[in-house]
Amino acid sequence: MDHENVREVDPELADALENEIERQNSELHLIASENHVSEAVLDAQSSVLTNKYAEGYPGARYYGGCQYADEVEEMAIDYAEELWGAEHINVQPHAGTQANLAVYSAMLEPGDKILSLELSHGGHLSHGHPANFVGQTYEVEHYEVDTETGYIDYEGLKEKAETFEPDIIVSGYSAYPREIEWEEIQEAADAVDAYHLADIAHITGLVAAGVHTSPVGTVDFVTGSTHKTIRAGRGGIVMCKEEYADDIDKAVFPGAQGGPLMHNIAGKAAGFKEALQPEFEEYAQQVVDNSAALADQLQEHGIELVSGGTDNHLVLADLRESHPDVSGGDAEEALERAGLVLNGNTVPGETRSAFDPSGIRVGTPAITTRGFDEDACRTVADLIVKVIDAVDEGTTDETIPEVKEQVEELCEEYPLYDTPQQSKALADGSGE
Ligand code: DSN
């Protein structure tokens, strides 16, 4: 894999792109929302469909020349139907946030009420944070996790729904390590005659593979992004019951977007097709098994986990008990220097701030794509704790180079993309 065509136009740009390949190859990506797509998905995403305007939907476009755009979009929709089984699917949202906006704008009026999980308890900006368009347009209140157990407080949610009387309840989260009880939340929505939107951005792949229960068939709307655990081209998706199909389609186009990003839709189709293969179920199960092993090993080292463990692809570690003087931000920065890339994260009952939180979020989708198994994930947990201990003890200068070397060894053992150097050697006939 190289960027020789880009190099002819701008060597500096090619260098940046090739350095990013090298960075992804030589670091371990533990950001729970990230993954490494296949070269087939990269190929589809960089296709000439980037040139095509295709406002409208297959068979009903506002421009000529859309026959192949139609084929590609229909494939993405058909594969998505097989993966998630929804009655209606729109694959045009540019990202998960745009998918959520489509649902809100289709079903709500400005000033209507949204009940969603508090951001610092695992929610998402597009679920109604005041800094976001959603929080500025609708009236938003939040439910929470039980700060003792780390699990969603379903009773509290139901009580909040009774008093607030929302028009829509949002479930599905960005930093919640446990199985989500869709039925419980649906009961709360039914009791107050509210819609229910399940944002499965993080767990699209786990749901498709049957490793997490599906909200499809229970809730009114399911949104997601397509590049996280499902490992397809970058973007968003909306699924809904047939009765809402027209409203949702109109809200995406022309309501909020113009031309769909057809090259990304091709990347979605390629990744969805891959996810329909039996190996994908094994991958998704391994993501969860790896997350459980990593969680267990962190606990062996005395690290406290929100909810005491994980059922999905991510672990949320609260450093306050084990390392009271190390913030999640400090840990993130030191770990990145060691080649372990993750993010500092707020924890329920946060006592620091969103900019310098008390926790770290660790995800296994990307390292599982590299082929990591449970043992390798236990090693990753050991390395994470070694770095955090070093931050605590002021010994990062000695420890980080040691850990970085171990990370690089792991990266070599579990290779990812061909490097530009390898591609060049192949083209020259000087390499295998
Ligand atoms: N930025 C994503 C995450 O990290 O969870 C959500 O959009």
Side-chain angles (χ1 to χ4, degrees), residues 70 95 120 133 142 204 223 254 302 325 352 369 391 400 416 420 424:
D70 280 4
S120 68
F133 176 80
H142 295 301
T204 42
T223 55
D325 298 328
R352 289 179 186 264
T369 291
V391 175
I400 286 180
L416 190 56
K424 187 167 181 306

Side-chain angles (χ1 to χ4, degrees), residues 152-342:
I152 299 288
D153 175 5
Y154 293 101
E155 287 313 309
L157 187 166
K158 285 174 185 165
E159 283 163 24
K160 194 87 182 206
E162 294 284 351
T163 52
F164 181 52
E165 298 185 332
D167 297 287
I168 193 165
I169 299 181
V170 182
S171 61
Y173 317 108
S174 294
Y176 183 66
R178 292 298 183 179
E179 179 94 11
I180 301 163
E181 308 288 340
W182 311 113
E183 297 278 356
E184 291 272 349
I185 303 170
Q186 186 58 40
E187 271 178 33
D190 287 341
V192 294
D193 203 18
Y195 296 117
H196 181 182
L197 158 62
D199 176 350
I200 62 166
H202 267 251
I203 56 171
T204 42
L206 307 187
V207 169
V211 175
H212 188 294
T213 54
S214 175
V216 174
T218 300
V219 311
D220 302 294
F221 307 96
V222 177
T223 55
S225 43
T226 50
H227 47 274
K228 296 186 173 109
T229 46
I230 193 65
R231 215 171 45 182
R234 195 168 193 95
I237 188 167
V238 186
M239 309 182 225
C240 63
K241 296 179 176 167
E242 194 57 44
E243 63 185 293
Y244 306 122
D246 281 351
D247 290 333
I248 290 295
D249 285 351
K250 283 185 193 142
V252 174
F253 173 83
Q257 295 186 175
L261 306 178
M262 286 311 308
H263 56 306
N264 278 10
I265 292 175
K268 292 174 191 181
F272 293 169
K273 180 78 176 194
E274 289 174 342
L276 283 167
Q277 309 312 310
E279 303 82 58
F280 189 79
E281 284 181 23
E282 288 167 30
Y283 163 73
Q285 185 60 54
Q286 191 65 52
V287 167
V288 172
D289 293 346
N290 283 348
S291 182
L294 196 141
D296 186 58
Q297 192 69 10
L298 289 174
Q299 285 175 309
E300 287 287 319
H301 286 289
I303 304 277
E304 194 170 285
L305 303 183
V306 173
S307 83
T310 178
D311 298 326
N312 61 21
H313 64 299
L314 72 84
V315 174
L316 190 57
D318 184 340
L319 302 178
R320 287 177 297 187
E321 277 294 316
S322 59
H323 299 82
D325 298 328
V326 182
S327 72
D330 297 335
E332 174 189 314
E333 190 267 328
L335 286 161
E336 182 171 356
R337 282 166 50 214
L340 294 158
V341 184
L342 47 67

Side-chain angles (χ1 to χ4, degrees), residues 31-34 97 123-124 173-175 201-202 225 227-228 343 361:
I31 292 177
S33 48
E34 291 185 353
T97 289
H124 188 257
Y173 317 108
S174 294
H202 267 251
S225 43
H227 47 274
K228 296 186 173 109
N343 63 288
R361 189 183 65 162

Side-chain angles (χ1 to χ4, degrees), residues 37-89:
V37 297
S38 70
E39 295 200 23
V41 171
L42 290 176
D43 196 1
Q45 268 198 167
S46 63
S47 67
V48 293
L49 274 172
T50 191
N51 299 331
K52 190 70 199 99
Y53 264 117
E55 276 104 325
Y57 290 99
R61 305 284 190 183
Y62 288 83
Y63 291 97
C66 288
Q67 59 270 45
Y68 301 113
D70 280 4
E71 282 183 18
V72 166
E73 187 165 343
E74 276 164 358
M75 281 184 244
I77 293 167
D78 289 348
Y79 302 155
E81 275 171 5
E82 273 191 70
L83 287 168
W84 293 287
E87 288 176 17
H88 179 73
I89 294 184

